[in-house]
Amino acid sequence: MTFKELGLIEPILRALQDQGYERPTPIQAQAIPVLLNHKDLLGVAQTGTGKTAAFSIPILQHLANGAPPQGKRKIRTLVVTPTRELAIQIAENFTNYAKYTDIRNTVIFGGVKQTSQVYALNKGIDVLVATPGRLLDLINQRFISLDHIEYFVLDEADQMLDMGFIHDIKKLLKLLPKKRQSLFFSATMPQAIVKLTQEILDNPSRVTIEPEKTTAEKVEQRIYHVNKKHKTALLVELLNTTHTSETLVFSRTKHGANKIVQDLAKAGIQSAAIHGNKSQTARQKALSDFKDGKLQVLVATDIAARGIDIDELGNVINYDLPNVAESYVHRIGRTGRAGASGLAVSFCMLEERPFLKDIEKLIKQSIPVIEDHAFPFSMEDAAEPSLKKQNQRRPSRNSGGGNSAKSSGDSRRKPSSRSGSGSRSNSNANRSNRNTNS
Ligand code: AMP
């Protein structure tokens, strides 16, 4: 199947060629004909599948084939998405695919002044990409009217619900014209989402893409069992040896992300964090520095990273394992996009092992464990507080301190590690550091 066979018009085909897209991804092959046929669509798919092009291309084709605008342009397409990063990326997609047409778009999101957004709106646009809060805000101020919407896309609906946007969405629905084509995308379909689809869609075609399995198959995955106190040292070790190209590091919490950035700075590694407490400007700067190769490491929380689109990202490190198995699939999906292969490494502490079990169950794979590394897991360290108490009760044991980090029977040696011999001297240095620091 080619894009031409999907019946796309020449200006769009040319733009896709410029993007280097050779053939449609599965969601594009399935969704584009449905959408060109003016049907509503329910897409069960997540970022990384090519879903943005799947919805933006047919909308652009409809708009380009329509009558040219008379007077000031009216907003005819509305795309609502939960995060600022996603909104910006979707708008970039529209701009790329529309470059040989006369279709104009703009993007609006909160956390920044509205002035330049209002200015762009006032010039007249065909496509608006928005996060819900700022959209409602500008509607209330009468800078935006939804009266002329013909195409409505609700993107990442499950995420939208998780982030508490359901009431905003319901308000928006009341403002949309009844006669429209609606597109609804969600990675998962819990009951609340099914209900929402019934309110939005009219007899939709359904397209389901399961990237969980395909992504997990494409990406090389590894587990490092490690004690909490050695996670940062292990991270530094990997960033200095096997992960020297751009690496996205995941932290479960915002505070944890900041701490990782500080710790890496102490080890001479420049990084930046993106999470909900960072200003929009700081997040964009971090993301563009990372994309431009100026930063080796970007540290992100799940929500901030959702949908980040970075071409050729080779490495993901889960500094913390996510407690929701699906998040693991989202995270490792940041690598291995559009056919590229990636490497996803996860640190696993003793208390995270149940999460690991859930993940392996979901991806139906057992993730290879790297046992020969500089900071092998030690049960003695993991159980430190209770062991210390026991040791106090056993005066006959060696009380001279010393090598408390000696590896336990858990660290069976295997020659499979990628932290090759080049890192060995470094590892020894780190080991002695570790003993003095801990
Ligand atoms: P998305 O799922 O929309 O976030 O897209 C994921 C990535 O795949 C983006 O980097 C797109 O530019 C890229 N992409 C989308 N469609 C294609 C295609 N047909 N061929 C190659 N790459 C694509």
Side-chain angles (χ1 to χ4, degrees), residues 46-47 210-216 219 221 302 318 322 324-335 359 362-363:
Q46 54 188 239
T47 50
E210 290 176 9
E212 277 86 358
K213 290 189 199 93
T214 49
T215 306
V219 177
Q221 301 163 71
D302 284 298
N318 292 313
V324 177
E326 283 78 8
S327 296
Y328 175 83
V329 180
H330 279 296
R331 289 179 179 190
I332 71 166
R334 307 299 99 217
T335 73
I359 290 165
L362 177 76
I363 63 174

Side-chain angles (χ1 to χ4, degrees), residues 30-42 55 58-66 76 150-152 178-183 200-205:
Q30 291 176 60
I32 291 174
V34 169
L35 294 171
L36 287 178
N37 209 11
H38 298 276
K39 279 206 67 142
D40 281 6
L41 180 84
L42 168 57
F55 68 73
I59 290 176
L60 283 170
Q61 178 141 332
H62 285 314
L63 294 175
N65 282 343
R76 295 166 65 195
E150 294 167 44
Y151 308 99
F152 170 59
K178 290 267 170 301
K179 191 171 170 308
R180 57 170 201 255
Q181 187 177 15
S182 299
L183 291 64
I200 295 179
L201 300 171
D202 178 21
N203 191 22
S205 292

Side-chain angles (χ1 to χ4, degrees), residues 2 32 103 107 179 224 231 251 267 271 282 298 302 378 394 406 437:
T2 60
I32 291 174
I103 314 297
V107 56
K179 191 171 170 308
Y224 285 74
K231 282 169 89 175
S251 155
S271 65
L298 189 67
D302 284 298
S378 136
R394 275 187 283 164
K406 199 162 174 263
N437 290 345

Side-chain angles (χ1 to χ4, degrees), residues 3 16 19-25 27-28 46-55 57 86 89 93 96-97 307-311 334 337-338:
F3 282 113
L16 296 178
Q19 290 299 305
Y21 297 177
E22 282 172 9
R23 53 193 63 253
T25 65
I27 192 165
Q28 290 160 7
Q46 54 188 239
T47 50
T49 54
K51 78 175 154 78
T52 316
F55 68 73
I57 290 170
L86 273 170
Q89 279 167 197
N93 274 256
N96 290 336
Y97 309 142
I308 284 182
D309 177 18
I310 300 157
D311 286 342
R334 307 299 99 217
R337 288 192 158 204

Side-chain angles (χ1 to χ4, degrees), residues 292-396:
D292 296 346
K294 289 185 202 151
L295 271 183
Q296 182 194 346
V297 182
L298 189 67
V299 186
T301 55
D302 284 298
I303 292 213
R306 182 119 171 195
I308 284 182
D309 177 18
I310 300 157
D311 286 342
E312 294 169 28
L313 175 64
N315 301 308
V316 163
I317 297 182
N318 292 313
Y319 185 91
D320 304 308
L321 264 190
N323 52 1
V324 177
E326 283 78 8
S327 296
Y328 175 83
V329 180
H330 279 296
R331 289 179 179 190
I332 71 166
R334 307 299 99 217
T335 73
R337 288 192 158 204
S341 63
L343 174 62
V345 157
S346 302
F347 296 172
C348 181
M349 299 188 294
L350 185 63
E351 53 269 44
E352 291 172 320
R353 290 192 188 184
F355 305 158
L356 179 58
K357 270 207 175 125
D358 288 348
I359 290 165
E360 291 186 326
K361 207 167 137 201
L362 177 76
I363 63 174
K364 299 192 180 74
Q365 285 178 37
S366 120
I367 307 172
V369 174
I370 301 296
E371 284 157 350
D372 182 12
H373 67 84
F375 302 94
F377 172 77
S378 136
M379 185 55 91
E380 195 177 328
D381 280 348
E384 223 169 27
S386 52
L387 263 176
K388 271 186 187 149
K389 271 189 206 154
Q390 283 178 25
N391 286 346
Q392 280 162 9
R393 275 187 248 121
R394 275 187 283 164
S396 61

Side-chain angles (χ1 to χ4, degrees), residues 149-168:
I149 297 295
E150 294 167 44
Y151 308 99
F152 170 59
V153 183
L154 188 69
D155 186 37
E156 300 266 343
D158 52 353
Q159 173 93 343
M160 206 86 88
L161 252 62
D162 288 350
M163 292 172 74
F165 286 135
I166 184 73
H167 298 295
D168 287 352

